[in-house]
């Protein structure tokens, strides 16, 4: 635990009731700032794609000039690798979603989309978008028509709070879903003056409706800000669960306070009890601490758990979670406050974990998925990270030391709210906003081999975007 004298040294004092009340007065201004940051129009970072294509062209030239072809890839293999790692056939499955937050595929290949107002939309894998309308009025009409074809259910979530970044946040299938049909949901509940994160579970009935909604847990801290809820869920191998919680933005010091559940990853059972073998006896739900606004959480096949989170202005980061570890916020950060002020003089501190990846400037990471499939072999053993501010999808190579990342599928160029890997090995992205899309990405026809001239054309397109 960070000592009281340590807090004094850093100039970070624990908030008392009076200070919290005073902070409420400028919540709207600060929340407006953070929203503005998320809506930042990022420049399209295609330089790394250019470098990749130049490398491919260079390799092809070397191959053609060499008399000894032993052990070298063919032109078709080189081209195929480039194409499967950076280009795809894009299909809009639906463009009739309203502020979606999360994406989940069912065993029958259909998709559940969670919208912030508590609506669950069921999207068949065969749904397709209509042709491009010729006017905004036609676009609105087409979306309304497409919306009516989708099955929808409004979940009766108690005290659902959907202002700011709040609402229905995430959902995950229970490991025994094939028999239990249980799905967990996270959402924000309460009022402007007192809101918090809560977890519910429900059962997917044969008619496609979610029934028997039952409370699991809710965190023990209320806050007066409509941002930084966390809420990402993942099932562990022992039938327990992890969920991320944000620091509430104005309550960042609480991320270092064990008695608070803000700025933590919590560990619990489906019955809402603490997991066994807890790292902190006096805080049995706390798995890790020192988080700001964690928005990506995945468990690898070997049991490793990775998390990414928003920094302030800079300092977005990816971490590997270890039970009982402290990830530093706000004692350690590579970002600055939105005002430009220094949050902490430290970018590392004894006893606190350094990030595996730092994104500065911020990309605003929103979700994460594991890719291990033959459909895009170049992405195998990568974490796919969706980003709002950068309008991009990134692939992080977890086999590299240190971790390396790059932008993939640069044609997306939209705020990406969620990413998932389908049973077909395709990459599925959920865009953000009032008229959001579910997009499928699949590789080009592998029977059509690309030539060096085609690679040159791809390079030319990317370098001029």
């Amino acid at each position: 635990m960070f000592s009281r004298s340590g807090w004094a040294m850093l100039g970070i004092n624990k908030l008392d009731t009076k200070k919290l009340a005073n902070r409420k007065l400028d919540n709207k201004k600060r929340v407006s700032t953070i929203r503005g940051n998320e809506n930042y129009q990022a420049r399209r970072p295609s330089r790394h794609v250019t470098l990749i294509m130049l490398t491919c062209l260079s390799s092809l030239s070397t191959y053609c000039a060499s008399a000894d072809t032993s052990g070298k890839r063919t032109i078709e293999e080189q081209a195929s690798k480039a194409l499967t790692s950076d280009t795809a056939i894009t299909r809009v499955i639906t463009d009739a979603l309203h502020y979606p937050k999360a994406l989940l595929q069912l065993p029958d290949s259909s998709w559940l989309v969670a919208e912030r107002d508590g609506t669950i939309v069921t999207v068949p894998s065969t749904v397709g978008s209509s042709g491009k309308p010729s006017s905004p009025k036609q676009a609105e009409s087409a979306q309304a028509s497409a919306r009516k074809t989708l099955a929808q259910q409004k979940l009766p979530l108690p005290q659902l709070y959907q202002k700011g970044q709040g609402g229905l946040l995430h959902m995950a299938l229970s490991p025994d879903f094939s028999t239990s049909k249980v799905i967990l949901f996270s959402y924000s509940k309460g009022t402007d003056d007192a809101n918090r994160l809560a977890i519910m579970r429900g059962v997917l009935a044969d008619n496609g409706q979610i029934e028997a909604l039952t409370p699991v847990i809710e965190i023990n801290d209320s806050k007066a800000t409509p941002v930084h809820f966390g809420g990402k869920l993942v099932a562990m191998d022992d039938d327990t669960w992890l969920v991320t919680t944000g620091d509430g933005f104005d309550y960042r010091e609480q991320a270092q306070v064990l008695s608070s559940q803000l700025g933590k990853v919590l560990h619990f059972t489906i019955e809402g009890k603490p997991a066994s073998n807890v790292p902190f006896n006096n805080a049995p739900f706390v798995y890790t601490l020192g988080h700001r606004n964690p928005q990506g959480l995945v468990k690898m096949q070997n049991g490793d758990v990775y998390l990414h989170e928003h920094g302030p202005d800079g300092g977005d980061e990816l971490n590997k979670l270890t039970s009982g570890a402290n990830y530093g916020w706000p004692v350690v950060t590579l970002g600055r406050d939105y005002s430009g002020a220094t949050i902490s003089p430290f970018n590392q501190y004894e006893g606190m974990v350094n990030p595996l990846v730092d994104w500065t400037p911020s990309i605003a990471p929103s979700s994460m998925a594991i890719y291990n499939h033959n459909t895009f072999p170049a992405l195998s053993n990568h974490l796919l990270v969706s980003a709002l501010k950068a309008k991009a999808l990134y692939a992080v190579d977890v086999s590299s030391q240190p971790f390396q990342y790059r932008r993939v599928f640069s044609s997306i160029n939209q705020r990406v709210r969620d990413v998932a890997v389908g049973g077909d090995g395709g990459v599925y992205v959920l865009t953000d906003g009032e008229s959001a899309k579910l997009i499928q990405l699949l590789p080009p026809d592998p029977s059509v081999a690309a030539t060096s001239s085609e690679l040159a054309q791809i390079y030319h397109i990317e370098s001029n975007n």
Side-chain angles (χ1 to χ4, degrees):
M1 172 61 62
F2 200 60
S3 67
R4 185 179 296 275
S5 61
W7 285 117
M9 178 184 67
L10 291 173
I12 302 174
N13 298 313
K14 186 177 181 181
L15 299 174
D16 55 25
T17 304
K18 182 176 179 181
K19 289 181 180 178
L20 287 176
N22 289 336
R23 283 193 175 189
K24 292 180 185 178
L25 297 176
D26 64 352
N27 277 346
K28 291 184 179 179
K29 181 178 179 181
R30 300 184 72 180
V31 171
S32 176
T33 301
I34 191 172
R35 287 179 187 161
N37 182 59
E38 287 188 350
N39 289 324
Y40 169 78
Q41 179 79 17
R43 288 188 295 271
R44 187 175 180 181
S46 59
R47 181 173 60 179
H48 72 286
V49 180
T50 299
L51 292 174
I52 291 169
M53 294 306 163
L54 283 172
T55 301
C56 291
L57 288 168
S58 175
S59 299
L60 291 172
S61 298
T62 302
Y63 170 80
C64 294
S66 174
D68 181 10
T69 60
S70 175
K72 296 183 181 295
R73 292 188 180 95
T74 65
I75 292 177
E76 290 80 6
E77 288 173 333
Q78 293 262 8
S80 176
K81 183 175 179 61
L83 287 169
T84 56
S85 61
D86 289 291
T87 67
I89 296 172
T90 300
R91 183 172 74 99
V92 176
I93 297 177
T94 183
D95 58 2
L97 303 170
H98 302 157
Y99 297 103
K101 290 287 191 176
L103 180 65
L104 180 65
Q105 190 173 42
L106 296 174
D108 66 0
S109 297
S110 64
W111 294 91
L112 297 184
V113 177
E115 297 180 332
R116 72 178 183 186
D117 69 352
T119 299
I120 299 294
V121 181
T122 302
V123 183
S125 58
T126 56
V127 171
S129 169
S130 59
K132 185 176 180 180
S134 59
S135 70
K137 187 174 181 178
Q138 285 185 344
E140 184 178 349
S141 176
Q143 285 182 354
S145 178
R147 179 82 178 187
K148 290 177 182 178
T149 67
L150 302 176
Q152 302 165 58
Q153 177 188 3
K154 190 76 168 285
L155 296 182
L157 300 171
Q159 295 182 279
L160 175 65
Y161 178 76
Q162 53 176 309
K163 291 188 178 179
Q165 296 171 356
L168 177 56
L169 300 171
H170 198 227
M171 53 187 172
L173 299 181
S174 175
D176 64 351
F177 177 81
S178 60
T179 55
S180 71
K181 305 299 181 183
V182 168
I183 305 176
L184 261 64
F185 302 91
S186 65
Y187 75 104
S188 55
K189 65 179 296 186
T191 64
D192 289 344
D193 294 327
N195 55 76
R196 62 181 67 195
L197 180 72
I199 313 297
M200 300 279 285
R201 72 175 188 264
V203 176
L204 183 65
D206 291 340
N207 62 2
Q209 296 291 290
I210 294 162
E211 302 175 348
L213 280 171
T214 306
V216 178
I217 62 169
E218 59 183 70
I219 72 169
N220 61 16
D221 301 84
S222 290
K223 57 188 186 63
T225 53
V227 292
H228 291 201
F229 292 99
K232 293 302 172 75
L233 294 154
V234 73
M236 303 294 278
D237 291 333
D238 58 357
D239 295 327
T240 60
W241 290 82
L242 298 180
V243 67
T244 67
T245 72
D247 69 349
F249 193 67
D250 273 350
Y251 307 80
R252 62 192 183 199
E253 293 85 358
Q254 299 303 303
Q256 290 293 327
V257 178
L258 271 178
S259 60
S260 169
Q261 291 180 350
L262 294 173
K264 309 294 192 298
V265 174
L266 306 182
H267 195 188
F268 62 97
T269 69
I270 194 71
E271 293 81 21
K273 305 296 183 183
S276 59
N277 301 319
V278 298
F280 307 105
N281 290 329
N282 57 338
F285 282 100
V286 175
Y287 187 75
T288 59
L289 68 156
H291 302 288
R292 185 175 181 269
N293 187 21
Q295 286 297 310
L297 186 67
V298 297
K299 183 181 70 65
M300 307 289 280
Q301 191 171 5
N302 65 1
D304 290 345
V305 178
Y306 289 95
L307 171 148
H308 68 57
E309 60 184 279
H310 289 257
D313 188 5
D316 298 345
E317 61 186 52
L318 173 71
N319 291 289
K320 180 179 176 181
L321 291 190
T322 301
S323 177
N326 187 333
Y327 291 85
W329 176 258
V331 179
V332 178
T333 180
L334 297 175
R336 302 177 69 87
D337 210 340
Y338 294 109
S339 66
T342 298
I343 294 171
S344 168
F346 301 106
N347 54 29
Q348 59 182 1
Y349 200 88
E350 184 178 357
M352 297 181 181
V353 181
N354 293 326
L356 296 170
V357 173
D358 164 64
W359 285 284
T360 300
S362 292
I363 65 169
S366 54
S367 192
M368 185 160 54
I370 304 161
Y371 196 91
N372 273 311
H373 205 284
N374 292 329
T375 302
F376 288 104
L379 296 180
S380 183
N381 206 31
H382 283 66
L383 297 173
L384 300 180
V385 176
S386 59
L388 295 165
K389 178 178 173 181
K391 297 184 176 181
L393 190 65
Y394 293 88
V396 181
D397 185 356
V398 298
S399 63
S400 60
Q401 293 296 330
F403 282 10
Q404 301 294 318
Y405 68 90
R406 62 190 181 89
R407 182 173 176 173
V408 291
F409 308 126
S410 56
S411 61
I412 295 174
N413 199 31
Q414 299 179 69
R415 287 169 57 86
V416 184
R417 175 59 67 180
D418 200 2
V419 59
V421 178
D424 58 0
V427 176
Y428 292 78
V429 296
L430 190 63
T431 65
D432 190 44
E434 184 177 7
S435 300
K437 302 172 183 176
L438 172 56
I439 299 173
Q440 177 195 54
L441 298 162
L442 287 173
D445 186 348
S447 65
V448 181
T451 64
S452 57
S453 63
E454 288 172 327
L455 281 174
Q457 183 179 16
I458 294 169
Y459 156 70
H460 177 75
I461 292 171
E462 290 291 347
S463 63
N464 284 282
N465 282 339

